[in-house]
Amino acid sequence: MEQYEPDRLSPAQEAAVRRSFRNGRAALSRRSLLRASTGGALAVGGLGALSACGIPPAGNTQGGVPAEDHSKKEKSVSFSNWTEYMDVDEAGREHPTLDAFTERTGITVKYTEDINDNTEFFGKIKPQLAAGQDTGRDIIVLTDWLAARLIRLGWVQKLDPANLPNAFANLSPQFRSPDWDPGRAYSYPWQGIATVIAYNKKALDGVEVRTLSDLLDNPGLKGRVGLLTEMRDTMGLTLLDMGKEPEKFTADDYDAALARLQRAVDKGQIRRFTGNDYTADISKGDFAACVAWAGDVVQLKADNPDIDFLIPDSGYMMSSDNLLIPNKARHKTNAERLVDYYFEPQAAAQLAAYINFVCPVEGVKDELAKIDEDAANNPLIIPDKAMQAKSRAFRSLSSKEETEFEEKFAKLTGA
């Protein structure tokens, strides 16, 4: 188990967090573009919370082990999630899939949209977890890099496969065994986040785009290309374009990929590095092409017929938001039953029809077609086998690597 020490962010890591607050995934809710929601306000104090001192080290508690489970006597479960990341009825007040779960099982769900950003939320729950205390939550949803951190620290409970038959059977192959949780012993994916290339056909004006190299090298696109400020997404696609494996790259590979991007920056090929605000640039045609998140592209295509996307032959990046049960959670079995419920095709289809991210559940297409045929046939929501095979993941980083890589990337982007 990794020994916990109070986090101290390097200047580059702090800059990365602030970029995320301003215009990265943290700046808008997961469904902000699809439901025109601005999401909740972010607490700037999250940075301070990450570097707070005086918290007992994890070595003082035994993490990653079951706590006393009150599921039989207390028919409830507390679920913390990101804003706008759950299906709602037309009135916008009820969550149909959660209501159906309660009706079937008798387990009431206290559903709270209190996650605005991974870093900020970690600051909220870290004191209790480090001290071996209950966070008041039975399920939390964290992006893969932070999920990996909590697993290493021993702050989440190991899942009981006996309570997860649907999750085990229906989990999509591309999500089955991340390097930070082999075999999904501690987590299951809530949704996938695919990073692809988006383009504006009108703005391209006949220029052919098939690879990331086209964005970085074609003089016809000079000054009309956008890349993401999220290091793992932009660097992952660049490594793939250079024939390197994001799951296995070395520090030298990383430096070579940075140099590749630096050349494009120096010659004016890149208009700017962006967060979610690339959506306006690509829609207006200020970007002819850019690196983009699939969840955004779904809505961009629906709103503008000139917008489309491509998957390079070299592959695309996939990350995930993940369901975990923190230590000392009171209702572990109830939580596992809820996790398993969302791996039933019908429930997964209802969720996918609303939020439009990559569904991690196999066999959901037919159920989704009954609700929304276009969504069922959209590879950005239900990837086919060929697209799944091109999915790649950015490998886990040590704390030292995280600091070094973010510092170098921040210099490249001018952050």
Side-chain angles (χ1 to χ4, degrees):
M1 183 193 307
E2 177 180 302
Q3 179 71 19
Y4 173 71
E5 295 180 357
D7 296 278
R8 294 191 181 279
L9 300 184
S10 70
Q13 288 173 304
E14 289 187 359
V17 173
R18 291 191 179 99
R19 286 200 307 274
S20 189
F21 279 177
R22 287 197 307 270
N23 58 12
R25 284 197 215 142
L28 299 176
S29 71
R30 285 298 201 263
R31 291 282 298 166
S32 58
L33 289 167
L34 302 181
R35 295 292 181 218
S37 168
T38 57
L42 296 176
V44 176
L47 284 173
L50 271 178
S51 58
C53 297
I55 298 172
N60 288 355
T61 64
Q62 189 176 16
V65 296
E68 183 179 357
D69 191 352
H70 300 267
S71 293
K72 288 184 178 181
K73 293 182 179 180
E74 300 175 5
K75 293 295 184 181
S76 65
V77 62
S78 178
F79 184 179
S80 282
N81 204 349
W82 296 72
T83 55
E84 301 291 331
Y85 215 16
M86 178 66 74
D87 58 305
V88 298
D89 62 8
E90 292 185 2
R93 292 191 295 268
E94 304 294 333
H95 300 294
T97 56
L98 290 176
D99 292 343
F101 173 79
T102 297
E103 184 177 354
R104 181 201 297 182
T105 64
I107 300 170
T108 60
V109 182
K110 179 185 176 183
Y111 184 73
T112 308
E113 295 181 333
D114 61 346
I115 305 178
N116 297 304
D117 168 70
N118 285 288
T119 301
E120 179 206 13
F121 187 70
F122 183 57
K124 287 182 182 179
I125 63 175
K126 182 176 66 173
Q128 295 101 313
L129 290 173
Q133 299 171 352
D134 182 9
T135 66
R137 301 166 175 89
D138 299 304
I139 301 176
I140 56 177
V141 180
L142 299 176
T143 305
D144 43 20
W145 64 267
L146 185 53
R149 181 80 186 279
L150 264 65
I151 291 170
R152 290 198 306 269
L153 288 167
W155 287 357
V156 294
Q157 298 188 50
K158 193 170 186 178
L159 302 173
D160 184 350
N163 295 327
L164 296 158
N166 292 301
F168 180 81
N170 297 333
L171 178 59
S172 172
Q174 68 187 125
F175 295 102
R176 278 199 174 271
S177 194
D179 68 349
W180 48 269
D181 187 16
R184 291 287 181 179
Y186 293 89
S187 70
Y188 269 92
W190 176 245
Q191 297 293 300
I193 305 167
T195 304
V196 299
I197 294 175
Y199 59 90
N200 185 315
K201 287 178 279 189
K202 186 176 181 180
L204 282 178
D205 194 26
V207 175
E208 185 177 30
V209 171
R210 298 173 63 102
T211 67
L212 187 68
S213 288
D214 293 327
L215 273 65
L216 301 181
D217 297 330
N218 193 317
L221 299 179
K222 184 176 181 179
R224 299 190 297 135
V225 170
L227 300 179
L228 290 173
T229 56
E230 297 289 340
M231 181 268 288
R232 288 169 174 80
D233 295 323
T234 293
M235 291 301 296
L237 281 183
T238 305
L239 286 163
L240 282 171
D241 190 68
M242 297 174 66
K244 303 297 181 179
E245 298 183 62
E247 302 89 345
K248 300 178 181 179
F249 70 90
T250 65
D252 287 342
D253 294 333
Y254 185 88
D255 288 345
L258 271 176
R260 173 94 172 86
L261 293 176
Q262 188 66 60
R263 290 193 294 272
V265 169
D266 291 344
K267 66 184 179 183
Q269 191 76 6
I270 310 303
R271 186 181 183 93
R272 66 190 185 103
F273 290 82
T274 74
N276 284 95
D277 47 329
Y278 69 81
T279 56
D281 293 272
I282 193 73
S283 296
K284 291 186 297 183
D286 292 341
F287 286 164
C290 65
V291 175
W293 291 308
D296 296 339
V297 176
V298 172
Q299 184 63 29
L300 289 170
K301 281 173 57 67
D303 293 341
N304 186 340
D306 288 326
I307 305 298
D308 212 334
F309 75 98
L310 66 91
I311 303 296
D313 288 339
S314 57
Y316 66 102
M317 297 305 297
M318 179 71 78
S319 58
S320 59
D321 288 329
N322 305 275
L323 300 151
L324 304 105
I325 300 176
N327 283 354
K328 298 297 182 177
R330 288 181 62 87
H331 311 107
K332 181 173 184 285
T333 298
N334 291 345
E336 289 168 337
R337 291 183 68 182
L338 183 56
V339 171
D340 194 60
Y341 166 73
Y342 278 105
F343 280 84
E344 296 179 12
Q346 186 175 13
Q350 288 181 261
L351 184 64
Y354 182 78
I355 63 177
N356 292 167
F357 278 77
V358 178
C359 181
V361 182
E362 282 284 285
V364 76
K365 184 173 183 177
D366 290 343
E367 289 293 335
L368 183 55
K370 298 174 185 177
I371 304 170
D372 186 336
E373 190 169 350
D374 288 340
N377 292 318
N378 190 330
L380 296 180
I381 300 173
I382 308 294
D384 57 24
K385 297 294 184 183
M387 186 168 173
Q388 286 185 19
K390 291 185 177 182
S391 170
R392 309 298 293 272
F394 201 90
R395 71 170 174 83
S396 298
L397 301 178
S398 67
S399 296
K400 181 180 178 181
E401 286 177 324
E402 182 82 31
T403 298
E404 292 178 353
F405 291 175
E406 283 287 7
E407 285 178 347
K408 292 176 179 180
F409 189 70
K411 184 178 179 180
L412 169 75
T413 63

